[in-house]
Amino acid sequence: MIKSIFFHSNRPNFIAGIFDYNISSKKTIRENIENNFFDEIIKSVEIYSDEVVALFTCLRFEIYIYSNNENKLRKIQNVFLENKFKVLFGKNDIINYLAQLCTGKLSEIIGELQIKIQALNAFESQLKKGAKLRKVFQTALANADSFRKLRNFYTNENYATIAFKIINDLIDTKLKGLLIVGAGMMSKEFAGTCNCHKEKIDKIFIAELNKKKSKDLKNNLQIKNVEIINTQQINNILEKVDVIFAAAGGKYKIYNHLDPLLIVDITCPPMFILENCPKTKIITMYDKDYKEKIDQVNNILKLRF
């Protein structure tokens, strides 16, 4: 039986549904993306909403809503509860939650900065200036920034820097070729780490559909031998590559005659599929290897915080 929260004359106009990772797993998140579950949830609630923002990352799905209609709020609440979302009511609770979110306190990597950027992009891009939800987020962001500054609560670690740590641990020889798939935020972070270890890399390939993003990423790299390719050319250059770092969408099959040594795939869902590749190790952000490395990083950070 679904428990309904009592609405009254001083009803909250703001409601949020947080996909609860305590009762889910990363595998569940991946499966829900693949079967369009999250898209269907958005469609189910936006018809009752005056304003709606979906915050969607590889490990997070949250919906923030403003509605001035009590009956519509009830319907939104029921959709969330039926689908095992944690429900937040009222401006203050949502501001407090968003402030914690933007500090990185709720992140898998404690204190990471990317969640703040992702939340900022979601609220800025999905709402008009002056929207009520946007004002709520701006208040939460200001609170989060004050906390980070006061407590020095941040880390430069993220999924991309941890990916390079994994590569560094598993391969101790110089890389003849490194393929970066995607040229977004995580690929830029990864490129920055590559610059700190440029003596270990002979050549980098960048596979990205957006030519401007590719050029920007290439300009961020301090490695001389960098080649931009189209994503459709990936299979053509795999024999020249030891390691792949994947941070973009799409699906690619790798066959045994192309065997790179290692793939670190932080896309959601993972983009690379191996067929008869006994020499290739693939690590995704859903695997225990990744979780163990995150735990190592967090244990160091907890000493600071």
Side-chain angles (χ1 to χ4, degrees), residues 58-222:
C58 52
L59 295 174
R60 186 173 298 282
F61 180 63
E62 303 174 358
I63 306 177
Y64 298 88
I65 291 169
Y66 170 81
S67 176
N68 201 30
N69 183 291
E70 182 174 330
N71 289 330
K72 289 181 178 179
L73 284 167
R74 287 181 184 276
K75 291 176 180 178
I76 293 166
Q77 173 199 338
N78 288 337
V79 170
F80 286 151
L81 293 175
E82 286 168 0
N83 289 282
K84 298 181 180 179
F85 280 65
K86 177 182 177 182
V87 180
L88 300 177
F89 279 104
K91 183 189 293 187
N92 290 339
D93 283 353
I94 290 174
I95 287 173
N96 289 338
Y97 175 82
L98 279 169
Q100 289 190 68
L101 181 74
C102 291
T103 62
K105 289 178 73 175
L106 306 180
S107 296
E108 189 172 35
I109 303 170
I110 302 170
E112 54 97 7
L113 297 168
Q114 279 65 41
I115 186 59
K116 170 187 168 180
I117 298 168
Q118 291 166 330
L120 178 62
N121 289 341
F123 278 85
E124 294 292 313
S125 64
Q126 296 177 43
L127 293 171
K128 295 179 181 178
K129 192 173 182 179
K132 289 179 170 59
L133 274 174
R134 191 169 181 174
K135 291 178 181 177
V136 164
F137 175 72
Q138 288 169 342
T139 301
L141 185 59
N143 292 346
D145 286 344
S146 296
F147 179 84
R148 279 190 187 267
K149 186 175 181 180
L150 180 66
R151 296 285 301 276
N152 193 28
F153 195 89
Y154 73 93
T155 177
N156 292 322
E157 298 288 0
N158 53 61
Y159 293 107
T161 61
I162 287 176
F164 200 95
K165 289 178 189 294
I166 291 171
I167 293 168
N168 222 24
D169 286 350
L170 294 178
I171 299 181
D172 56 7
T173 58
K174 189 168 186 176
L175 304 179
K176 66 178 180 183
L178 168 65
L179 169 62
I180 301 175
V181 185
M185 182 169 59
M186 283 294 98
S187 292
K188 287 180 180 177
E189 293 285 347
F190 187 77
T193 308
C194 289
N195 289 335
C196 298
H197 300 270
K198 55 188 176 183
E199 73 287 346
K200 190 175 179 176
I201 307 165
D202 275 342
K203 182 170 184 175
I204 291 180
F205 295 91
I206 300 171
E208 165 64 49
L209 287 172
N210 187 307
K211 292 181 180 179
K212 184 180 183 306
K213 284 186 176 182
S214 297
K215 289 179 181 178
D216 287 346
L217 183 60
K218 182 177 180 180
N219 291 336
N220 285 338
L221 285 162
Q222 297 170 11

